[in-house]
Amino acid sequence: MSEVWFIREPSKANIPYLIKRDCLIVSDSPDARNELRELGVSAIGSSALVNNTHWLKIINQRDLIIHSMDINSILLSLNLDLELESSLKFHLKFLVSELLYEAFLVASVIERYSCNKVFFDENFQINKITKFETNERSTFIKIKKAFHCGILNKVNFCITNTLFVLSLLWIRLFHKNSLLATSPGSGLKSVLEKQSSVVFLYGNGASKDIKNKVLKCFSLKNSEMMAFPAPRSTIKATKNFEIEVNKGASRLTEGVLKLVPEHLGSLSVSSLSEWLSFQIKDWGSKRKRDMSAIQSVISCMGPKAVVSQHSLDFAACLGIITKNQKINSFLISHGSHIVNADSVADREWLGHSRTMLDGPFKYTAIQTPAAKAFYEKNCFQTAAYETGPLIVKGKLSKSNSIKRKALFGLNSDMNIILHAGTPKPPNALRPIIYETTDEYLDNICSFVREASKVPNTFVAIRFRPCWGISLKSIENALIGYTCWGVFCDGSFEDFLEQSDALVSYSSTTIEQALFAGKPVILWSDQVDYKHLFLGSFSEKLNALKGVWISDSSSLARDIEEINSCFSTSNVNYSDTVQSLYHSFEALNYNQGSALLKLGMGDRV
């Protein structure tokens, strides 16, 4: 085949041309492949092209590129606080990883299929960069774009600023000295709901659902800010800024073109430098807006304390300001933090934690034994406060036949294994430690295939909509297999409570299951990754009892062992990872309550 097309949006593709030319089609979106199939075009996924070796190379090259730039010098050039270093690195990792990932896809296709021409639809970063350079160098397009964006920006600023000022007025009148928290997603709202008064911040513009925003804002108990003002400041590049960006662009160009020099010739140091410069300036403009807006909020309400579920971007700005004003601030992470046996995965988890478990806050909540071991191993600026489970929690309870039947229907009498995963889209890749969308689907398919061979076993797939994959894609991929179901509605905690075991690649749900006393199966079909090992916990364990690292050759035996050890009539938690989690929760129950009352804590 002479041509290869990378497609994520089939509705904009020239299908008759693709069929006529007999092109090779590649898509890393299961939904897009389904849509193409319905149009009579077959496509291959990314799992066949990118494997563990590629991910290791992507991580290595990404780190070399980012380390070639002096991040502190860039922050100083933008007149931003140096404590935003982890936030900027976080975004650069995503940008660079996505571009390298696309380059490796191309290199793999060329090596395997000997294609001469490569084309991308507009949803791929390589295409965006090429168009970005063309647009930036056209004087007419520049003028047209500036005029159009200028009008839109003014309108957007007027709307968001009005909503912001109205929110400020409300909290000044009715929420003085309240608790201030970041966006109430990922369980933070339920953790804080017993507080007498909480103001929640959203670090973004106005929501489309204005009516709902207004109702949530003008509340006497918990108020949610309707919007932050849209960024207005235009950042001009200094000489130092340009020098550092050019260093990164040079390294990035070298890394990409070394893989596919002839096929991605449109990428150059100048095009990548302009693209990187724009991305960093845009990020910097938003952080300047955040610092100004948060300062206004703090001045209006004088919060008694601040709580956040992460320390990224606007939350990091919140931490910096409250730290400088000596206001108590707490991080309650919504993610897992794991010491990993693999050195590369371990470094990835450390980088991940810099905007989740660590940051410019006074205290960080240690919610799990794994987080405690992780904190003790690494160096963090934030003082630890051992709380037990707050957001990362699971309820220990016995199976209830009525609830179980309501959830699983006719399958309730079977051995139910709950699947949960956290796939990441191409623009938010976390190589190895989290699945891509294709890896997520592959792991579901391979697990269902093997579990279907085990008598009386039902796989309940807990699914929430995410990039590139829908309920339909999962159902199509599992045609021909029995004893499985996909569940999108209801509470995850209820499904976990009534299941017999949990299976996952990498997810916070693993630790939720351990708190809930459920056996855990770790499953990785494509990428060589094992989420837990004995060293993942603070206390020494003789064996990883209660957690099974399974594959196709061991799954039937592992399920039989799980049924034997964790059956309702024979459950024995002693000397298991589950018992470690139960003890940790019991030991720290009062500490968690004290944190929510905003008490003081000592370093672990």
Side-chain angles (χ1 to χ4, degrees), residues 194-208:
K194 293 181 182 178
Q195 294 290 320
S196 57
S197 178
V198 185
V199 173
F200 288 104
L201 290 176
Y202 287 88
N204 51 22
S207 167
K208 292 180 180 178

Side-chain angles (χ1 to χ4, degrees), residues 426-443:
N427 65 349
L429 290 172
R430 293 172 175 86
I432 296 178
I433 64 173
Y434 281 102
E435 301 156 291
T436 64
T437 307
D438 269 346
E439 289 166 353
Y440 168 74
L441 183 59
D442 288 342
N443 281 327

Side-chain angles (χ1 to χ4, degrees), residues 237-257:
T238 64
K239 187 174 182 179
N240 282 343
F241 178 87
E242 290 177 348
I243 289 171
E244 296 306 325
V245 170
N246 282 335
K247 286 180 186 176
S250 296
R251 280 274 193 171
L252 185 53
T253 308
E254 180 185 337
V256 171
L257 297 186

Side-chain angles (χ1 to χ4, degrees), residues 250-268:
S250 296
R251 280 274 193 171
L252 185 53
T253 308
E254 180 185 337
V256 171
L257 297 186
K258 186 182 288 185
L259 290 168
V260 277
E262 297 176 3
H263 300 81
L264 299 180
S266 57
L267 294 181
S268 62

Side-chain angles (χ1 to χ4, degrees), residues 356-592:
M356 296 276 286
L357 189 68
D358 193 24
F361 288 78
K362 189 169 185 178
Y363 299 107
T364 186
I366 304 299
Q367 301 179 68
T368 73
K372 182 178 180 180
F374 187 84
Y375 186 94
E376 289 173 342
K377 179 189 175 187
N378 297 295
C379 181
F380 294 111
Q381 62 168 313
T382 310
Y385 193 115
E386 199 169 303
T387 64
L390 294 172
I391 294 178
V392 184
K393 59 185 178 181
K395 184 168 60 176
L396 181 63
S397 59
K398 294 183 178 180
S399 178
N400 181 307
S401 60
I402 297 175
K403 285 182 70 174
R404 190 174 167 104
K405 191 162 188 176
L407 291 173
F408 302 113
L410 296 176
N411 301 298
S412 60
D413 292 333
M414 300 179 74
N415 181 35
I416 295 173
I417 301 177
L418 182 66
H419 178 281
T422 313
K424 300 300 179 184
N427 65 349
L429 290 172
R430 293 172 175 86
I432 296 178
I433 64 173
Y434 281 102
E435 301 156 291
T436 64
T437 307
D438 269 346
E439 289 166 353
Y440 168 74
L441 183 59
D442 288 342
N443 281 327
I444 288 175
C445 291
S446 61
F447 185 80
V448 169
R449 181 185 66 236
E450 298 304 324
S452 65
K453 301 173 185 176
V454 183
N456 199 41
T457 300
F458 180 80
V459 182
I461 302 161
R462 177 67 180 180
F463 176 70
R464 54 185 178 183
C466 51
W467 181 90
I469 189 167
S470 62
L471 173 62
K472 183 179 179 181
S473 291
I474 296 176
E475 290 175 338
N476 285 347
L478 294 177
I479 291 174
Y481 297 112
T482 58
C483 298
W484 59 269
V486 183
F487 301 86
C488 306
D489 301 321
S491 162
F492 171 78
E493 286 72 20
D494 288 341
F495 279 90
L496 179 61
E497 178 188 35
Q498 298 306 316
S499 297
D500 298 299
L502 178 111
V503 59
S504 185
Y505 173 92
S506 164
S507 171
T508 306
T509 58
I510 291 171
E511 291 194 275
Q512 288 181 267
L514 294 174
F515 275 123
K518 301 294 181 181
V520 169
I521 298 171
L522 301 180
W523 185 265
S524 171
D525 185 49
Q526 297 288 328
V527 178
D528 183 20
Y529 174 75
K530 298 174 181 63
H531 191 63
L532 297 172
F533 80 119
L534 288 178
S536 297
F537 309 102
S538 298
E539 297 182 28
K540 300 297 181 184
L541 296 172
N542 295 323
L544 204 62
K545 290 172 65 176
V547 177
W548 283 259
I549 301 172
S550 300
D551 57 28
S552 58
S553 64
S554 70
L555 183 61
R557 182 175 65 253
D558 292 342
I559 291 176
E560 183 179 346
E561 190 175 330
I562 287 170
N563 293 339
S564 173
C565 297
F566 282 82
S567 65
T568 306
S569 58
N570 192 39
V571 64
N572 181 7
Y573 294 125
S574 62
D575 198 29
T576 63
V577 181
Q578 287 79 0
S579 68
L580 180 64
Y581 274 69
H582 297 167
S583 300
F584 188 84
E585 180 174 13
L587 180 66
N588 292 293
Y589 178 78
N590 291 330
Q591 290 295 322

Side-chain angles (χ1 to χ4, degrees), residues 26-28 33 44-51 101 105 436 438-439:
V26 178
S27 180
D28 51 5
R33 292 199 299 274
I44 62 173
S46 61
S47 297
L49 302 170
V50 179
N51 56 34
Y101 159 70
L105 281 178
T436 64
D438 269 346
E439 289 166 353

Side-chain angles (χ1 to χ4, degrees), residues 290-342:
D290 291 344
M291 295 294 281
S292 174
I294 290 168
Q295 186 61 65
S296 297
V297 173
I298 298 291
S299 299
C300 270
M301 67 177 290
K304 63 179 178 181
V306 166
V307 182
S308 179
Q309 66 189 34
H310 59 78
S311 57
L312 176 67
D313 293 347
F314 85 97
C317 295
L318 176 64
I320 291 166
I321 291 172
T322 53
K323 183 179 179 181
N324 292 338
Q325 297 191 17
K326 295 182 170 52
I327 298 170
N328 271 347
S329 58
F330 300 87
L331 264 176
I332 306 177
S333 175
H334 62 275
S336 286
H337 304 282
I338 303 291
V339 175
N340 198 271
D342 180 81

